[in-house]
């Protein structure tokens, strides 16, 4: 049997001090610093280890959802359609009608692009996940709520908002009770405050910090689409006055593409703008409206507790309210943890008593390695040999 040294440590005995070559905590600090630094020695930022499914650009200043192909399609359609309009329609309309047409189109175009980029690259209101110590404290608090030994306690809380009872659900991914109107996005894997919906067309979640930009984007896009559609029809009508309509189409083939794109998109954009105008006037979110949280759809017996009972007040609260800062600090640096990580109870060895399995294995080893030639030992002797092996 291979020689191994075992030493029993009585409970309550302080651990042996570290060697004088290294001060206390030097090893843990060095390991934490090594984990927090890149191979080039540069200290890492928090966006590099962000737990959600997001992509970051420009050193963490801009963020986007993982699947951003539809966002590029949206941006491409707006840029291509507007570019064709400025190249083929605006010169003719500026000469024959007024110079205000390209100016208005340019203002709408830049406003639409600005609102789109603000919606797509901004933090929608992501809540940071609980730290291991916070999650452990919350789990302990939840366990203390249980009144039965065979049924776990409910993972819900009830709070009063404007005299109405609102139920908060527990997020098993972020390890916390979600604040009111917060939901976990399955696409981005984040809890978002005042979660409206995940919009693939903008490539991001729509929540507390970017909803006003999203609403301004779809509203201005509906005006831009309708404006381009009307101007293209006017252009073709003016060109066809001196000849037939087919000749006018052959003279500007790009106008046909603009008409097709605007015709099939204007209806959905106008419908989406009208729907979100209703939500803003009611101080609702798309998530709440689809689930029927404050209406007869979900058999709810009380009204929306977040509504101010006035359309104008609701619009001001949603679109003109205070601008809240981001909570995830994605540009911050990762701090090295100087403390020694705690060991779970399941991994802490028990030095006072031995399990039956370990004792039986020690007995078997002592029996197999008995080469004294006097036959099997008694059970008392086997226990004594096993005790020596552990002490």
């Amino acid at each position: 049997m291979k020689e191994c040294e075992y030493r029993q440590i009585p409970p309550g005995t302080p651990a042996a001090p570290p060697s004088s070559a290294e001060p206390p905590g030097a090893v843990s600090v060095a390991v934490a610093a090594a984990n927090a630094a890149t191979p080039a020695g540069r200290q890492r930022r928090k966006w590099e280890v962000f737990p959600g499914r997001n992509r970051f650009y420009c050193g963490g200043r801009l963020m986007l959802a993982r699947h951003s192909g539809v966002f590029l399609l949206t941006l491409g359609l707006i840029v291509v359609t507007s570019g064709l309009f400025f190249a083929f329609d605006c010169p003719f309309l500026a000469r024959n009608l007024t110079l205000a047409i390209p100016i208005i189109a340019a203002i709408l175009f830049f406003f639409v692009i600005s609102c789109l980029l603000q919606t797509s690259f901004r933090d929608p209101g992501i809540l940071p996940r609980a730290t291991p110590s916070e999650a452990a404290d919350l789990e302990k608090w939840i366990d203390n709520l249980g009144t039965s030994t065979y049924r776990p306690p409910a993972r819900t809380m009830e709070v009063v908002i404007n005299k109405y009872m609102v139920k908060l659900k527990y997020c098993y991914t972020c390890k916390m009770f979600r604040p009111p109107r917060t939901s976990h996005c399955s696409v981005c894997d984040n809890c978002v405050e005042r979660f409206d919906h995940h919009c693939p067309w903008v490539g991001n979640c729509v929540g507390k910090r970017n909803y006003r930009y999203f609403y301004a984007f779809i509203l201005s896009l509906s005006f831009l689409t309708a404006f381009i559609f009307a101007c293209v029809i006017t252009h073709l009508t003016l060109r066809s006055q001196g000849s037939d309509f087919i000749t006018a189409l052959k003279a500007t083939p790009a106008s046909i593409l603009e008409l097709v794109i605007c015709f099939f998109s204007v209806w959905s954009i106008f419908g989406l703008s009208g729907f979100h105008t209703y939500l803003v006037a009611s101080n609702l979110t798309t998530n709440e409206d689809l689930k029927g949280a404050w209406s007869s759809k979900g058999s709810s017996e009380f009204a929306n507790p977040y509504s101010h009972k006035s359309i104008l007040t609701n619009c001001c609260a949603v679109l003109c309210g205070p601008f809240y800062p981001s909570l995830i600090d994605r540009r911050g640096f990762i701090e090295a943890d100087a403390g020694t990580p705690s060991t779970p109870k399941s991994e802490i060895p028990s030095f006072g008593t031995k399990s039956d399995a370990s004792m039986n294995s020690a007995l078997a080893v002592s029996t197999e390695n008995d080469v004294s030639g006097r036959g099997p030992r008694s059970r008392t002797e086997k226990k004594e040999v096993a005790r020596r092996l552990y002490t």
Side-chain angles (χ1 to χ4, degrees):
M1 180 177 176
K2 185 177 180 180
E3 293 288 334
C4 297
E5 293 184 1
Y6 295 88
R7 184 168 61 90
Q8 184 173 1
I9 302 177
T13 304
S19 59
S20 58
E22 296 181 355
V27 177
S28 59
V29 173
V31 172
N35 292 334
T38 60
R42 179 180 60 86
Q43 191 175 4
R44 302 175 68 187
R45 293 186 183 268
K46 294 181 180 179
W47 68 267
E48 300 181 73
V49 293
F50 187 73
R53 303 188 192 125
N54 297 89
R55 290 179 178 177
F56 295 86
Y57 305 93
C58 299
R61 295 178 178 86
L62 308 177
M63 62 183 302
L64 203 64
R66 179 71 63 180
H67 306 288
S68 55
V70 184
F71 161 71
L72 297 178
L73 176 63
T74 304
L75 185 62
L77 285 175
I78 296 174
V79 172
V80 169
T81 306
S82 301
L84 293 176
F85 176 73
F86 286 121
F88 294 95
D89 299 284
C90 282
F92 180 87
L93 294 174
R95 288 193 308 266
N96 294 273
L97 289 181
T98 175
L99 190 61
I101 291 179
I103 296 177
I104 295 174
I107 294 174
L108 287 174
F109 172 75
F110 285 111
F111 189 78
V112 167
I113 294 297
S114 175
C115 292
L116 173 62
L117 297 181
Q118 289 277 7
T119 306
S120 302
F121 293 114
R122 183 178 293 272
D123 169 25
I126 298 174
L127 293 177
R129 301 188 182 187
T131 62
S133 58
E134 293 172 346
D137 292 340
L138 186 57
E139 290 286 343
K140 185 177 180 180
W141 178 79
I142 294 175
D143 292 339
N144 292 335
L145 294 178
T147 57
S148 175
T149 58
Y150 60 91
R151 176 176 294 181
R155 294 295 178 105
T156 57
M157 288 181 61
E158 291 184 347
V159 295
V160 178
I161 298 178
N162 293 332
K163 301 180 181 180
Y164 293 107
M165 192 72 67
V166 178
K167 184 177 293 186
L168 307 183
K169 295 182 180 181
Y170 182 81
C171 180
Y172 288 90
T173 302
C174 300
K175 304 296 182 182
M176 65 177 179
F177 283 98
R178 302 169 189 162
R181 315 189 86 175
T182 300
S183 185
H184 191 90
C185 176
S186 59
V187 179
C188 297
D189 199 21
N190 298 312
C191 274
V192 181
E193 278 193 288
R194 202 187 181 277
F195 178 76
D196 191 87
H197 69 289
H198 180 89
C199 183
W201 296 100
V202 301
N204 199 359
C205 292
V206 178
K208 186 176 183 178
R209 298 189 70 251
N210 65 346
Y211 181 80
R212 65 184 67 182
Y213 296 107
F214 173 78
Y215 180 72
F217 163 67
I218 59 176
L219 196 63
S220 59
L221 182 60
S222 62
F223 283 113
L224 177 63
T225 306
F227 184 79
I228 292 177
F229 187 74
C231 288
V232 171
I233 293 180
T234 303
H235 177 205
L236 295 176
T237 304
L238 293 177
R239 274 189 178 273
S240 62
Q241 287 181 354
S243 60
D244 57 344
F245 190 73
I246 302 299
T247 306
L249 291 179
K250 291 180 180 179
T252 57
S255 300
I256 304 176
L257 181 60
E258 298 172 43
L259 282 178
V260 171
I261 295 176
C262 292
F263 179 80
F264 286 102
S265 59
V266 69
W267 310 109
S268 59
I269 296 174
F270 266 97
L272 190 63
S273 300
F275 174 68
H276 278 277
T277 300
Y278 154 73
L279 294 179
V280 170
S282 305
N283 202 346
L284 285 171
T285 65
T286 303
N287 187 46
E288 293 170 348
D289 184 76
L290 294 179
K291 292 182 177 179
W294 317 117
S295 64
S296 58
K297 297 179 184 178
S299 65
S300 177
E301 298 180 356
F302 50 89
N304 180 13
Y306 309 106
S307 177
H308 297 278
K309 312 303 180 184
S310 170
I311 295 178
L312 182 61
T313 308
N314 286 337
C315 293
C316 292
V318 175
L319 302 177
C320 305
F323 189 79
Y324 300 94
S326 177
L327 300 178
I328 55 177
D329 188 25
R330 56 187 183 272
R331 289 275 299 162
F333 291 100
I334 300 176
E335 298 179 359
D337 188 8
T340 304
S342 59
T343 307
K345 289 184 177 181
S346 59
E347 298 179 7
I348 299 177
S350 177
F351 295 101
T353 59
K354 312 298 185 299
S355 63
D356 293 337
S358 61
M359 184 66 72
N360 293 335
S361 62
L363 291 174
V365 170
S366 64
T367 302
E368 293 175 359
N369 290 274
D370 184 15
V371 292
S372 61
R374 62 184 181 88
R377 302 181 181 181
S378 63
R379 186 169 183 83
T380 304
E381 292 176 341
K382 293 178 182 178
K383 289 184 177 181
E384 180 65 19
V385 172
R387 187 185 63 81
R388 292 174 186 173
L389 289 173
Y390 278 89
T391 59

